[in-house]
Amino acid sequence: MATAYIVDAVRTAGGRRGGRLAGIHPVDLLAKSLDAVVERSGIDPSAVDDVVTGCVSQAGEQAGQIGRMGVLASKLLPQSTPAVSIDRQCGSSQQAIQFAAQAVMSGTQDVVIASGVESMTRVPMGTNMTLHMKEGLGNYMSPGVKAKYPGVQFSQFMGAEMIANKHGFSKDQLDAFAFESHKRAIAATESGAFANEILPIEIETAEGTEMHTVDEGIRFDATLEGIAGVKLIAPDGKVTAASASQICDGSSALLVVSEAALKKYNLTPMARIHNLTVTAGDPVIMLEEPLFATDRALERAGLKIDDIDLYEVNEAFAPVPMAWLKHTGADPEKLNVHGGAIALGHPLGASGTKLMATLVHGLKRHGKKYGLQTMCEGGGVANVTIVESL
């Protein structure tokens, strides 16, 4: 089977809800990442066979097949470039990577951009469902689903609490993990660890035009005491907003190509894609599936957890990566070494390609070989992608 290579990967610095990226239409935000990965790689824009875009709340400004809209807003890609938009919930753009890689590995395409976007300010999470419900236009919980899962509410917040209780994590442990995420993100930012992956975005502020280059969600003055003092999401729970991922605006993209395209366009690969896995399990606890998906991915790749040098496990809620560490026996010093979504933000559909940008650049920066990325997804699904730095 042919090999799929990652040539370059970029992301915007995250923007808080109502923050520094709130003034940019999500289509234009996506187009900026698409253009950046084309320009940085040096690929002929007309050589791009397809654009695969992850986006979760495909409504309002993110409706109208946002991947295609991003191509039409692009300054570099011709209108002849196809695009498709996909929704695998939080794993949407990680699935975009896997679809892009599968296209290349099958031999049907040679140059594919995997990308993602989410403006959680301009298209609030869940409004693609709730606005219809308010108008009396139905609910995604069909009679068939309700019959199979009677009396069940599918809730990520409830799932996070269930994981914390199942694995015996205390609130203090969750808070400590959240604090560590901020400390690592601060250290990464101050050391320039994100410099090669972040695409500067021109924004308008009250003081004039500026370049947005620093993840806005990082609390540079974070303290463990401050995190511990945040109100619980559920009165009898353990998770707070401080130990959950931050609402975030952002986009990201990477270029996936075949060996033939490397030679034809004189491209230099950053990494090769070593394994693609996706599994599904319990939709009620929902967020635990990365544990079992990782088992499957390692088995298929013929690797052990200790063979992996860096892990990116999305910090949707602190109990998720904590349970993943406990289950796999992985080294916590290899996990989210530059911080995670608790500090950096989780722009839903953009997070998959965002994390991969951090992973491949991190492998290069630290001189490491293998990286593994996984994330929990609505409905009890999880993707795992293993890459080898070149």
Side-chain angles (χ1 to χ4, degrees), residues 1-44:
M1 186 177 292
T3 300
Y5 297 90
I6 297 172
V7 172
D8 205 350
V10 301
R11 70 175 181 92
T12 65
R16 284 183 179 175
R17 177 167 52 185
R20 290 168 65 84
L21 293 180
I24 303 176
H25 193 291
V27 168
D28 295 332
L29 193 61
L30 171 62
K32 292 178 188 298
S33 285
L34 299 179
D35 284 343
V37 81
V38 169
E39 185 174 23
R40 285 168 45 136
S41 67
I43 189 77
D44 178 355

Coordinates of all heavy atoms in Angstrom, one line a residue, residues 1-44:
M1 N 0.8 -1.2 0.0 CA 0.0 0.0 0.0 C 0.9 1.2 0.0 O 1.9 1.3 0.6 CB -0.9 0.0 1.2 CG -1.9 1.1 1.2 SD -3.0 1.0 2.7 CE -4.0 -0.5 2.2
A2 N 0.4 2.3 -0.7 CA 1.2 3.5 -0.8 C 1.3 4.2 0.6 O 0.5 3.9 1.5 CB 0.6 4.4 -1.8
T3 N 2.3 5.0 0.7 CA 2.5 5.8 2.0 C 2.0 7.2 1.9 O 2.1 7.8 0.8 CB 4.0 5.8 2.3 OG1 4.5 4.4 2.5 CG2 4.3 6.5 3.6
A4 N 1.4 7.7 2.9 CA 0.9 9.1 3.0 C 1.9 9.9 3.9 O 2.2 9.4 5.0 CB -0.5 9.1 3.6
Y5 N 2.3 11.0 3.4 CA 3.2 11.9 4.1 C 2.6 13.2 4.4 O 1.7 13.7 3.7 CB 4.4 12.2 3.2 CG 5.2 11.0 2.8 CD1 4.9 10.2 1.7 CD2 6.3 10.5 3.6 CE1 5.7 9.1 1.3 CE2 7.1 9.4 3.3 CZ 6.7 8.7 2.1 OH 7.5 7.6 1.8
I6 N 2.9 13.7 5.6 CA 2.6 15.1 6.0 C 3.7 16.0 5.6 O 4.8 15.8 6.1 CB 2.3 15.2 7.5 CG1 1.1 14.3 7.8 CG2 2.0 16.6 7.9 CD1 0.8 14.2 9.3
V7 N 3.4 17.0 4.8 CA 4.5 18.0 4.3 C 4.6 19.2 5.2 O 5.6 19.6 5.5 CB 4.2 18.4 2.9 CG1 5.1 19.5 2.4 CG2 4.3 17.2 1.9
D8 N 3.4 19.7 5.6 CA 3.4 20.9 6.5 C 2.1 20.9 7.3 O 1.1 20.3 6.8 CB 3.6 22.2 5.8 CG 4.2 23.3 6.6 OD1 4.3 23.1 7.9 OD2 4.6 24.3 6.1
A9 N 2.1 21.6 8.4 CA 0.9 21.7 9.2 C 0.9 23.1 9.9 O 1.9 23.5 10.5 CB 0.9 20.6 10.2
V10 N -0.3 23.7 9.9 CA -0.4 25.1 10.5 C -1.7 25.2 11.3 O -2.6 24.4 11.1 CB -0.4 26.2 9.4 CG1 0.9 26.2 8.6 CG2 -1.6 26.1 8.5
R11 N -1.7 26.1 12.2 CA -2.9 26.4 13.0 C -2.9 27.9 13.3 O -1.8 28.5 13.4 CB -3.0 25.5 14.2 CG -1.9 25.9 15.3 CD -2.1 25.1 16.6 NE -1.2 25.4 17.6 CZ -1.4 26.3 18.6 NH1 -2.5 27.1 18.6 NH2 -0.5 26.6 19.5
T12 N -4.1 28.4 13.6 CA -4.1 29.7 14.2 C -3.9 29.6 15.7 O -4.2 28.5 16.3 CB -5.5 30.4 13.9 OG1 -6.5 29.6 14.6 CG2 -5.8 30.4 12.4
A13 N -3.5 30.6 16.3 CA -3.5 30.7 17.8 C -5.0 30.8 18.1 O -5.8 31.4 17.5 CB -2.7 31.9 18.3
G14 N -5.4 30.1 19.2 CA -6.8 30.1 19.6 C -7.3 31.4 20.1 O -6.5 32.3 20.6
G15 N -8.5 31.7 19.8 CA -9.2 32.9 20.3 C -10.3 32.6 21.3 O -11.0 31.6 21.1
R16 N -10.4 33.3 22.3 CA -11.4 33.1 23.3 C -12.8 33.4 22.7 O -12.9 34.2 21.8 CB -11.2 34.0 24.6 CG -10.1 33.5 25.5 CD -10.1 34.4 26.7 NE -9.1 33.9 27.7 CZ -8.7 34.6 28.8 NH1 -9.4 35.7 29.1 NH2 -7.8 34.1 29.6
R17 N -13.9 32.9 23.4 CA -15.2 33.3 23.0 C -15.4 34.8 23.1 O -15.1 35.4 24.1 CB -16.2 32.6 23.8 CG -17.7 33.0 23.5 CD -18.7 32.1 24.2 NE -18.5 31.9 25.6 CZ -19.2 31.1 26.4 NH1 -20.1 30.3 25.8 NH2 -18.9 31.0 27.6
G18 N -15.7 35.5 22.0 CA -15.9 36.9 22.0 C -14.5 37.6 22.0 O -14.5 38.8 22.2
G19 N -13.5 36.9 21.7 CA -12.1 37.5 21.8 C -11.5 37.9 20.5 O -12.2 38.4 19.6
R20 N -10.2 37.7 20.3 CA -9.4 38.3 19.3 C -9.8 37.8 17.9 O -9.5 38.5 16.9 CB -7.9 38.1 19.6 CG -7.5 39.0 20.8 CD -6.1 38.6 21.3 NE -5.0 38.8 20.3 CZ -4.4 40.0 20.2 NH1 -4.8 41.1 20.9 NH2 -3.5 40.2 19.3
L21 N -10.3 36.6 17.7 CA -10.7 36.1 16.4 C -12.2 36.2 16.1 O -12.7 35.8 15.1 CB -10.3 34.6 16.3 CG -8.8 34.4 16.3 CD1 -8.5 32.9 16.1 CD2 -8.1 35.1 15.2
A22 N -12.9 36.8 17.1 CA -14.4 36.9 16.9 C -14.9 37.7 15.7 O -16.0 37.5 15.3 CB -15.0 37.4 18.2
G23 N -14.0 38.6 15.3 CA -14.4 39.5 14.2 C -14.2 38.8 12.8 O -14.5 39.5 11.8
I24 N -13.7 37.6 12.7 CA -13.4 37.0 11.4 C -14.5 35.9 11.1 O -14.7 35.0 11.9 CB -12.0 36.4 11.4 CG1 -11.0 37.4 11.8 CG2 -11.7 35.7 10.1 CD1 -9.6 36.9 11.9
H25 N -15.1 36.0 10.0 CA -16.1 35.0 9.5 C -15.3 33.6 9.5 O -14.2 33.5 9.0 CB -16.6 35.4 8.1 CG -17.8 34.6 7.7 ND1 -17.7 33.3 7.4 CD2 -19.1 35.0 7.5 CE1 -19.0 32.9 7.0 NE2 -19.8 33.9 7.1
P26 N -16.0 32.5 9.9 CA -15.3 31.2 9.9 C -14.8 30.8 8.6 O -13.8 30.1 8.5 CB -16.3 30.3 10.5 CG -17.6 31.0 10.5 CD -17.3 32.5 10.6
V27 N -15.6 31.1 7.5 CA -15.1 30.7 6.2 C -13.8 31.4 5.9 O -12.8 30.8 5.3 CB -16.2 31.1 5.1 CG1 -15.6 31.0 3.7 CG2 -17.4 30.3 5.3
D28 N -13.6 32.7 6.2 CA -12.4 33.4 6.0 C -11.3 32.9 6.9 O -10.1 32.9 6.5 CB -12.6 34.9 6.1 CG -13.5 35.5 5.1 OD1 -13.6 34.9 4.0 OD2 -14.2 36.5 5.4
L29 N -11.6 32.5 8.1 CA -10.7 31.9 9.0 C -10.1 30.6 8.5 O -8.9 30.4 8.5 CB -11.3 31.7 10.4 CG -10.4 31.4 11.6 CD1 -9.4 32.6 11.8 CD2 -11.2 31.2 12.8
L30 N -11.0 29.8 7.9 CA -10.5 28.5 7.3 C -9.6 28.8 6.1 O -8.6 28.2 5.9 CB -11.8 27.7 6.8 CG -11.5 26.5 6.0 CD1 -10.6 25.5 6.7 CD2 -12.8 25.9 5.5
A31 N -10.0 29.8 5.3 CA -9.3 30.1 4.0 C -7.9 30.5 4.4 O -6.9 30.2 3.6 CB -10.0 31.2 3.3
K32 N -7.7 31.2 5.5 CA -6.3 31.6 5.9 C -5.4 30.4 6.2 O -4.2 30.4 5.8 CB -6.4 32.5 7.1 CG -7.0 33.9 6.9 CD -7.1 34.7 8.1 CE -8.0 36.0 7.9 NZ -7.4 36.9 6.9
S33 N -5.9 29.4 6.8 CA -5.1 28.2 7.0 C -4.9 27.4 5.8 O -3.8 26.9 5.5 CB -5.8 27.3 8.1 OG -5.7 27.8 9.4
L34 N -5.9 27.3 4.9 CA -5.7 26.7 3.6 C -4.6 27.3 2.8 O -3.7 26.7 2.3 CB -7.0 26.7 2.8 CG -8.2 25.9 3.4 CD1 -9.4 26.1 2.5 CD2 -7.9 24.5 3.7
D35 N -4.7 28.6 2.7 CA -3.7 29.4 2.0 C -2.3 29.2 2.6 O -1.3 29.1 1.9 CB -4.0 30.9 1.9 CG -5.1 31.2 0.9 OD1 -5.4 30.3 0.1 OD2 -5.7 32.3 1.0
A36 N -2.2 29.2 3.9 CA -0.9 29.1 4.6 C -0.2 27.8 4.3 O 1.0 27.8 4.0 CB -1.1 29.4 6.1
V37 N -1.0 26.7 4.3 CA -0.3 25.4 4.1 C 0.1 25.2 2.7 O 1.1 24.6 2.4 CB -1.2 24.3 4.6 CG1 -2.3 23.9 3.6 CG2 -0.4 23.1 5.0
V38 N -0.6 25.8 1.8 CA -0.2 25.8 0.3 C 1.0 26.7 0.2 O 2.0 26.2 -0.4 CB -1.4 26.4 -0.6 CG1 -0.9 26.6 -2.0 CG2 -2.5 25.4 -0.6
E39 N 1.0 27.9 0.7 CA 2.2 28.8 0.5 C 3.4 28.2 1.2 O 4.5 28.2 0.6 CB 1.8 30.1 1.1 CG 2.9 31.2 0.8 CD 2.4 32.6 1.2 OE1 1.5 32.7 2.1 OE2 3.0 33.5 0.7
R40 N 3.3 27.7 2.4 CA 4.4 27.3 3.1 C 5.1 26.0 2.5 O 6.3 25.8 2.5 CB 4.1 27.0 4.6 CG 3.9 28.2 5.4 CD 3.2 28.0 6.8 NE 3.7 26.8 7.5 CZ 4.0 26.8 8.8 NH1 3.8 27.9 9.5 NH2 4.4 25.7 9.4
S41 N 4.2 25.1 2.0 CA 4.7 23.9 1.4 C 5.4 24.2 0.0 O 6.2 23.4 -0.4 CB 3.6 22.9 1.2 OG 2.7 23.3 0.3
G42 N 4.9 25.2 -0.7 CA 5.4 25.5 -2.0 C 4.7 24.7 -3.1 O 5.1 24.7 -4.3
I43 N 3.6 24.0 -2.7 CA 2.9 23.1 -3.7 C 2.2 24.0 -4.7 O 1.7 25.1 -4.4 CB 1.9 22.2 -3.0 CG1 1.3 21.2 -4.0 CG2 0.8 23.0 -2.3 CD1 2.2 20.1 -4.3
D44 N 2.1 23.6 -5.9 CA 1.3 24.3 -7.0 C -0.2 24.2 -6.5 O -0.7 23.1 -6.4 CB 1.5 23.6 -8.3 CG 0.7 24.2 -9.4 OD1 -0.2 25.1 -9.2 OD2 0.8 23.7 -10.6

